[in-house]
Amino acid sequence: MPFLGQDWRSPGQSWVKTEEGWKNYSSDNKNNNDSDMSYCKSEDECFKENLLLALTYEMSAKKRKKDFMNNNTKVPYFHKEKWIYVHKGSTKERHGYCTLGEAFNRLDFCSAIKDSRRFNYVVRLLELIAKSQLPSLSGVAQKNYMNILERVVQKVLDDQQNVRPIKELLQALYVSLCDLVQDMGKSVLVGNINCWVHRMENILQWQQQLDNIQIKRPVSKGMSLTDLPASLQLNIMERLSDGRDLVSLGQVTPDLEALAEDRLLWKRLCQYHFNDRQIRKRLMVSDKGQLEWKKMYFKLCRCYPVREQYSETLHFCTHCHILFWKDTNHPCTANNTESCCKPVSPQGFISLFKF
């Protein structure tokens, strides 16, 4: 390309239209050829030049506006594939590596957030990426990440469910972005800093919407939880794997509050998430000589990671190196060779792409 921009003139030069055609005049020619009448512009020529400059400025402004819009447009979810091949090295058949950003773009997370069995899995994966892996994503993957996050928030606002984990996700992402934006210009985040500041403003707006959400009491169409016998209520509470859910449930009625303080309930919760060695290190005894299982649970949560439980996860086939959702009828599962297919936790998903 001979020219790099709209204006290809050298410094101190200008093109002037004469009867013989366009001529290039430099500042030296202006001083030496003051008597040259062709250099003197008429009012029409000045008007044309000013018009040309105005058009140039307008094109520049449109370009800046277009760049800003491109940074905020929603990228399509490119592949929406239910499985991908995870290759960690170059072979004769394949060249290159499968990165975390590529996997995040190609797997069908857009449909996964609509499935209640996969929703918590995707949210946990988004949280882990926000805490440590966001700079490793490509620019397209980072934009795709924000678009999926927007859909997750909108689903929570519509369904009025899973509010707490989304609040924790947004808080973790905002804290990470506050640190990363300060390092802009060091190849930390892809894109203009104004684009990321705008995304941080969106996160604050989503947090405000979640704080203002008011869960409507459903119209009673029969027996509710409070109408059940205490033994059944306690049996239902035993199915909860998060102590914060027990505390929230105990705030509904005084009867549920009494059941939520059951020591055996908290003991089973501690034994579910933590091993005996961890529990022995954090023993807490009350004045009556009894173990404070509830206080021990929250203390253990601050010291050790809790056991994660998901209705459905991604699976990885060690035989053919395929990462897939369980209901995609993978050939290895169809041929009754499920021993090579193992569930992948959100942390395991990220570990697959660490080379």
Side-chain angles (χ1 to χ4, degrees):
M1 294 177 61
F3 308 119
L4 299 178
Q6 295 287 341
D7 193 355
W8 53 85
R9 296 174 295 182
S10 301
Q13 295 181 344
S14 60
W15 289 87
V16 179
K17 187 175 182 181
T18 63
E19 296 178 356
E20 300 176 358
W22 288 92
K23 289 186 177 182
N24 186 6
Y25 285 86
S26 62
S27 57
D28 296 336
N29 292 336
K30 297 178 188 177
N31 298 330
N32 297 333
N33 302 324
D34 292 337
S35 59
D36 191 352
M37 298 300 296
S38 62
Y39 180 76
C40 298
K41 303 181 181 68
S42 63
E43 293 183 1
D44 294 339
E45 291 175 348
C46 292
F47 175 76
K48 291 179 180 179
E49 184 176 357
N50 292 334
L51 181 61
L52 179 61
L53 291 174
L55 291 175
T56 303
Y57 295 149
E58 185 178 358
M59 291 177 63
S60 300
K62 287 183 178 180
K63 185 177 183 302
R64 288 194 298 269
K65 183 177 180 181
K66 182 180 178 181
D67 292 340
F68 179 77
M69 294 298 294
N70 286 338
N71 287 332
N72 294 306
T73 50
K74 296 178 175 55
V75 215
Y77 301 91
F78 290 99
H79 297 279
K80 293 185 178 181
E81 299 177 8
K82 295 181 181 291
W83 60 269
I84 60 171
Y85 177 77
V86 181
H87 50 288
K88 295 188 176 182
S90 299
T91 62
K92 293 181 179 180
E93 294 80 13
R94 290 180 177 269
H95 177 70
Y97 302 87
C98 182
T99 63
L100 176 63
E102 181 183 355
F104 189 77
N105 278 335
R106 294 177 59 187
L107 282 172
D108 189 12
F109 288 109
C110 180
S111 300
I113 60 177
K114 300 177 182 178
D115 192 336
S116 58
R117 299 171 300 170
R118 303 174 181 174
F119 182 82
N120 290 331
Y121 182 87
V122 177
V123 170
R124 177 57 177 165
L125 181 59
L126 293 176
E127 184 178 359
L128 291 176
I129 293 177
K131 289 181 177 179
S132 60
Q133 300 298 321
L134 195 60
S136 65
L137 300 181
S138 63
V140 175
Q142 289 177 0
K143 192 182 293 186
N144 195 25
Y145 177 94
M146 296 302 300
N147 292 334
I148 293 179
L149 179 61
E150 183 179 359
R151 291 200 172 194
V152 169
V153 174
Q154 190 59 47
K155 175 178 173 57
V156 172
L157 292 174
D158 294 339
D159 299 344
Q160 296 185 345
Q161 297 178 1
N162 302 303
V163 178
R164 187 182 63 244
I166 305 305
K167 285 184 177 180
E168 295 174 352
L169 167 60
L170 293 178
Q171 182 62 25
L173 178 60
Y174 187 80
V175 172
S176 298
L177 287 180
C178 288
D179 296 334
L180 294 174
V181 166
Q182 295 177 2
D183 295 330
M184 289 294 288
K186 301 180 182 179
S187 300
V188 177
L189 291 174
V190 181
N192 189 281
I193 186 173
N194 295 327
C195 173
W196 285 102
V197 170
H198 178 71
R199 290 171 178 172
M200 293 174 68
E201 293 175 353
N202 287 339
I203 294 175
L204 292 177
Q205 183 179 359
W206 294 337
Q207 288 179 326
Q208 185 66 30
Q209 292 176 351
L210 291 175
D211 291 336
N212 296 334
I213 192 172
Q214 295 182 354
I215 300 178
K216 299 179 181 178
R217 187 181 183 89
V219 180
S220 178
K221 296 183 179 180
M223 184 175 294
S224 62
L225 177 64
T226 55
D227 298 329
L228 297 175
S231 58
L232 290 180
Q233 293 177 356
L234 191 61
N235 194 2
I236 293 174
M237 289 182 175
E238 291 177 355
R239 302 296 190 273
L240 300 178
S241 60
D242 194 334
R244 294 172 297 181
D245 293 334
L246 279 177
V247 174
S248 299
L249 185 59
Q251 296 173 351
V252 178
T253 63
D255 294 337
L256 290 177
E257 182 180 5
L259 290 176
E261 296 295 330
D262 185 77
R263 294 180 63 255
L264 184 58
L265 192 64
W266 290 98
K267 178 182 178 180
R268 291 177 177 175
L269 201 57
C270 289
Q271 292 175 342
Y272 173 78
H273 288 285
F274 311 104
N275 56 43
D276 295 338
R277 181 172 175 269
Q278 294 171 339
I279 293 175
R280 286 196 299 268
K281 283 187 174 182
R282 308 293 173 181
L283 290 177
M284 299 179 67
V285 183
S286 65
D287 298 335
K288 298 180 180 180
Q290 296 179 343
L291 291 177
E292 297 282 356
W293 288 105
K294 181 177 179 180
K295 294 181 180 179
M296 287 170 54
Y297 169 79
F298 289 107
K299 188 174 183 179
L300 288 166
C301 289
R302 292 191 295 267
C303 300
Y304 306 103
V306 297
R307 180 179 176 181
E308 297 180 356
Q309 181 181 10
Y310 304 101
S311 300
E312 184 174 342
T313 66
L314 285 168
H315 282 64
F316 181 70
C317 179
T318 56
H319 174 69
C320 55
H321 299 281
I322 294 293
L323 187 65
F324 62 96
W325 291 107
K326 188 176 181 180
D327 61 348
T328 53
N329 297 324
H330 181 61
C332 290
T333 58
N335 296 332
N336 296 324
T337 57
E338 296 186 5
S339 59
C340 62
C341 299
K342 301 179 180 179
V344 179
S345 65
Q347 186 63 50
F349 176 87
I350 295 177
S351 301
L352 281 175
F353 305 98
K354 290 183 178 180
F355 308 120

